[in-house]
Amino acid sequence: MTQRSLILTLTCCAAAATALAAGAATQPLPAGAAGFDARHAERGDHAGRRPLQAARLGHAAASAPRGGGVPAAWSALGPYGGDVTSVAASPTQPDLVFAGTAPGGAGGGTLYRSTDGAAQWSAVPALAFRSVFDIAFATTGTVYVGTDGGLFSSSDGGTTWTQHDLGIGANQLTAAIAVDPGNPSTIWAGIDDAFGTQAANVVRSTDGGATWTDVTPARPTPMSATAIAIHPADPQIVIATFGGWMGGGEVWVTTNGGSSWTNRSAGLPANPLRAVHYDGIRLLVGGGQMFGSQFVGLYASNDLGATWTALHDAGWPLRVVTDIAVDPTDPQTILAAIDGGGINRTTDGGATWETGVGGSTILSAQSVRYAPGDPDRVLVGAASLGVYRSDDGGDAFAASTIGIAELPLMAVDTSPAEADHVAVAFQGNNNGGILTSTDGGATWTAEPVPPTRYSNVRYAPDGTLFALSSGPSSVAPEGLYRRNGDGSWTSLGPDQGTLFESDLVAIRFGATASTIHLGGADFGVAGSERTVWRSTDGGGTWTKTHEGTDGDKVVDIEIVAGSGGQRLVATYDGPEGGALRSASGGADWSAAVTGLPGFARFGRLCSSATAPGITYMSMWDSWSTGAVYRSTDDGASWTSTGWSGGNLSDVACHPQEAGVLYAAQQGATAVIRSTDGGASFTAFAAGLDAAGAPTELALSRAGEPRLYLSTTRGSFVTPRDGAADPIFADGFD
């Protein structure tokens, strides 16, 4: 696939990626990962071997006196996952499998290796910090990996690696690889166009990668080569697909090994193409992308692209094909990986289709492969949720992701009704979901929500679970979703139209689930103003109670403790940032910036019942520093607590001790604690070396006093006050 977003992302995220990768090398997460609506125990090993059970989290927290002192250590809860762009099994060692990640489709990824058929994974040190976009095996067992740093290969099962200089300059991001099935010394590679600066987009080697020749079709401008297929018996016949980041796509065919090419795009949508398969008779191509609803679907040709026939039908919810796999024993069985829709399958050559087979509808599938010679074993690489495996040809898929610890979480919350019920929200570029645990994080279940971006997850006062989707609306409506008693989910809105018009990120409930406040901003044709919405009937109807400045977004809402739900404060982000207040239960809002600095970005709020009327706000008060402000008049005015430190992501108020605060901080010390109302903080981060960038804090609302943290590498938990007794993830000593 094309990776133009890589360059845009690398600059802003380089420091974070370095910190994440460093942590990943020192502290792997415990067992437990994302799955389907069944229990999220990882799928057992293949071919009748003993199943691998999801292990109970066995990291006991270090003990310390209650109420302060040395804090207890944090324990990793998972869930496992990551943006897996490609997964492939060895043709010579069936249990040897490689999977590659590219977080958000950009930099900071890693190659992972499994020696037990994808049951468990470990990072490949030689390719640390290398985002992976394609993996291909030669018939000899040599594996080739396309990365943001070029092409790598290993002939010893991944123990040692060789980097191949393609001879095309600095930009060698390799998005596609094909190895001649009849001659493993002939390798083709598709290269990203690097925003139009790399004109060599298809290169070929005939000596095992020692030297390379530029064989790019004669196009007017560079375009990224996204997939390559070679005739199984005639290596002179090669097909390459192309796709542009903003749009456009083509398919080209050569019958003389790249000396000349023919454009075979006529009859296909002029949108990015991303997948190709050729068996010597039937040529299959697929593509599309969520951005701009640039759909393609799946097409077939029996004359090398001179004419095309659509194989997808009206039953496909989405026509964004990222990969194609054909049953090695039955060419009538085709699997299409769908971004945002799982795996579609036909067993009659495309006459009829099953969509989202095996429960895969929650997956944003990026890669699908049959294990060599085994039509029952199917491997899927998915955005966010990692690797999934089927041992029955796709009738049922389950997570096989233990060890891939790259799932970026947006939010975490705990149930007020059940002590060990935890929920997290995650999102990628155009995908995401909700994961829940009923045993404190020992095992996880992927909720059957649409695979859209989720910005927040919250339990209502009665324990009902809600989540906020921020699209894409081409997959499902944005807005608030509610989990029903039977486990299904219902879309509640507010939905301003058929397009993506409401970008909402904040949820706050009143005393019951009947009163709901949502914060965010309008988007697209609806404008770009910050907004607050309110429902007083549990999401049945909505009123936009505030519409503010263009370019701002409401990011948090808090009910002031002791106000009976009548006084609320909200923070908004934008060029400067600031706050709002309401004295009418959220029916109307006014500015509340008195005393705040001119730069008050990414503000988050907390208010404790032990200090009625006091509200705390964490923020960035510059691009490199954070601060905490306090209001004693419902947000009408603010005063700095006097502390200054790293940029803050969140703040949480101790529910029983006035003046005790916890803050999530960007930097080496991920969580800090104050006992004097934010005037000073001390480290509260033991065990968080692998946590990555923190995103949100949550305090337990039932059972043992715990503090939870969501990060860009999963979630973590610690006894809230340095409890004397060790606590395990399931809540038992």
Side-chain angles (χ1 to χ4, degrees):
M1 69 183 67
T2 182
Q3 299 299 332
R4 288 175 178 259
S5 59
L6 172 67
I7 298 175
L8 291 174
T9 307
L10 281 178
T11 302
C12 67
C13 298
T18 301
L20 299 185
T26 60
Q27 183 176 327
L29 294 179
F36 290 102
D37 50 356
R39 291 298 304 165
H40 190 81
E42 300 284 351
R43 186 167 181 83
D45 203 358
H46 181 56
R49 288 184 289 272
R50 183 173 62 87
L52 176 71
Q53 301 296 328
R56 170 177 290 194
L57 176 64
H59 297 274
S63 61
R66 290 188 182 274
V70 178
W74 291 80
S75 297
L77 297 184
Y80 283 119
D83 287 334
V84 172
T85 52
S86 185
V87 59
S90 169
T92 59
Q93 303 177 65
D95 285 337
L96 177 63
V97 188
F98 289 93
T101 66
T110 299
L111 180 69
Y112 288 85
R113 178 176 179 263
S114 174
T115 58
D116 55 8
Q120 299 184 84
W121 300 88
S122 58
V124 175
L127 273 73
F129 319 126
R130 297 285 190 188
S131 280
V132 175
F133 303 114
D134 200 14
I135 301 170
F137 278 93
T139 54
T140 58
T142 296
V143 63
Y144 294 87
V145 177
T147 79
D148 53 8
L151 183 69
F152 291 78
S153 70
S154 174
S155 58
D156 56 11
T159 302
T160 60
W161 293 85
T162 299
Q163 184 173 12
H164 299 270
D165 184 358
L166 306 179
I168 56 174
N171 296 316
Q172 299 195 14
L173 189 154
T174 303
I177 310 167
V179 184
D180 184 350
N183 180 4
S185 294
T186 298
I187 308 148
W188 292 70
I191 310 302
D192 186 82
D193 67 20
F195 289 99
T197 64
Q198 177 54 270
N201 303 127
V202 180
V203 296
R204 183 196 65 203
S205 174
T206 57
D207 54 12
T211 60
W212 295 83
T213 302
D214 179 6
V215 291
T216 304
R219 300 187 62 264
T221 59
M223 182 179 283
S224 300
T226 55
I228 299 173
I230 304 172
H231 191 297
D234 185 350
Q236 296 299 303
I237 299 176
V238 178
I239 303 93
T241 62
F242 296 80
W245 170 243
M246 298 299 293
E250 297 171 355
V251 57
W252 289 73
V253 173
T254 178
T255 57
N256 53 19
S259 296
S260 62
W261 294 82
T262 301
N263 188 342
R264 294 297 200 186
S265 306
L268 296 172
N271 290 328
L273 300 177
R274 303 175 64 179
V276 62
H277 183 277
Y278 187 46
D279 61 11
I281 299 174
R282 182 184 58 190
L283 173 61
L284 302 173
V285 299
Q289 65 183 22
M290 293 292 192
F291 175 74
S293 298
Q294 299 180 55
F295 299 133
V296 173
L298 183 66
Y299 287 79
S301 174
N302 289 325
D303 52 16
L304 261 182
T307 59
W308 295 97
T309 301
L311 285 192
H312 57 266
D313 59 30
W316 282 36
L318 288 170
R319 298 194 310 277
V320 182
V321 176
T322 56
D323 203 3
I324 304 165
V326 177
D327 187 327
T329 63
D330 178 13
Q332 295 296 98
T333 297
I334 306 169
L335 303 179
I338 309 298
D339 192 359
I343 302 298
N344 292 354
R345 178 176 64 186
T346 179
T347 57
D348 53 17
T352 61
W353 287 89
E354 304 167 87
T355 60
V357 296
S360 65
T361 52
I362 67 168
L363 296 179
S364 289
Q366 305 299 309
S367 172
V368 60
R369 307 280 179 91
Y370 283 97
D374 187 348
D376 291 326
R377 187 175 172 209
V378 180
L379 297 168
V380 173
S384 298
L385 290 177
V387 176
Y388 279 71
R389 192 178 80 189
S390 173
D391 289 335
D392 52 17
D395 288 339
F397 284 95
S400 289
T401 313
I402 291 176
I404 301 178
E406 295 186 16
L407 183 62
L409 302 182
M410 301 299 294
V412 60
D413 199 27
T414 66
S415 172
E418 299 288 345
D420 291 319
H421 286 211
V422 185
V424 295
F426 65 91
Q427 66 173 245
N429 280 343
N430 283 303
N431 68 91
I434 301 297
L435 294 162
T436 57
S437 175
T438 58
D439 52 16
T443 57
W444 292 88
T445 298
E447 295 290 331
V449 293
T452 54
R453 299 180 297 263
Y454 287 86
S455 57
N456 212 333
V457 61
R458 289 288 182 266
Y459 288 94
D462 64 356
T464 301
L465 187 60
F466 292 77
L468 265 180
S469 166
S470 52
S473 56
S474 55
V475 176
E478 71 272 20
L480 190 66
Y481 283 74
R482 181 191 64 223
R483 186 171 65 180
N484 304 312
D486 61 0
S488 64
W489 287 74
T490 298
S491 174
L492 300 177
D495 191 358
Q496 300 187 85
T498 59
L499 302 176
F500 179 39
E501 291 126 339
S502 299
D503 188 6
L504 301 173
V505 297
I507 309 172
R508 183 64 59 189
F509 296 99
T512 70
S514 295
T515 300
I516 311 171
H517 308 276
L518 303 179
D522 285 343
F523 188 86
V525 297
S528 61
E529 302 89 353
R530 66 175 184 251
T531 59
V532 179
W533 294 80
R534 185 178 70 159
S535 174
T536 57
D537 56 7
T541 59
W542 294 93
T543 301
K544 186 185 290 187
T545 58
H546 174 75
E547 189 167 19
T549 306
D550 281 354
D552 288 343
K553 177 190 286 189
V554 172
V555 293
D556 200 11
I557 302 172
E558 180 65 282
I559 297 175
V560 178
S563 72
Q566 290 304 298
R567 298 192 296 276
L568 294 87
V569 180
T571 54
Y572 59 86
D573 188 39
E576 294 181 342
L580 306 168
R581 64 189 295 262
S582 173
S584 58
D588 56 71
W589 297 80
S590 59
V593 297
T594 300
L596 291 178
F599 190 102
R601 302 290 305 273
F602 312 109
R604 298 297 295 269
L605 300 162
C606 74
S607 181
S608 172
T610 59
I614 297 178
T615 305
Y616 291 93
M617 183 196 309
S618 65
M619 67 177 70
W620 295 24
D621 62 351
S622 77
W623 287 113
S624 59
T625 60
V628 177
Y629 277 68
R630 178 176 58 242
S631 174
T632 59
D633 54 10
D634 310 330
S637 62
W638 298 88
T639 303
S640 172
T641 64
W643 177 85
S644 181
N647 296 130
L648 298 179
S649 303
D650 198 13
V651 63
C653 294
H654 195 292
Q656 286 92 34
E657 298 184 30
V660 175
L661 308 176
Y662 306 90
Q665 180 178 233
Q666 304 292 316
T669 306
V671 179
I672 51 180
R673 182 175 184 266
S674 172
T675 59
D676 54 12
S680 63
F681 283 87
T682 57
F684 199 78
L688 290 178
D689 292 341
T695 54
E696 188 171 60
L697 292 163
L699 292 160
S700 59
R701 293 188 275 168
E704 295 284 349
R706 304 175 194 167
L707 182 63
Y708 292 84
L709 175 70
S710 62
T711 81
T712 51
R713 282 187 176 269
S715 63
F716 296 78
V717 66
T718 186
R720 189 185 61 217
D721 303 312
D725 297 325
I727 293 176
F728 294 83
D730 57 8
F732 294 98
D733 293 353

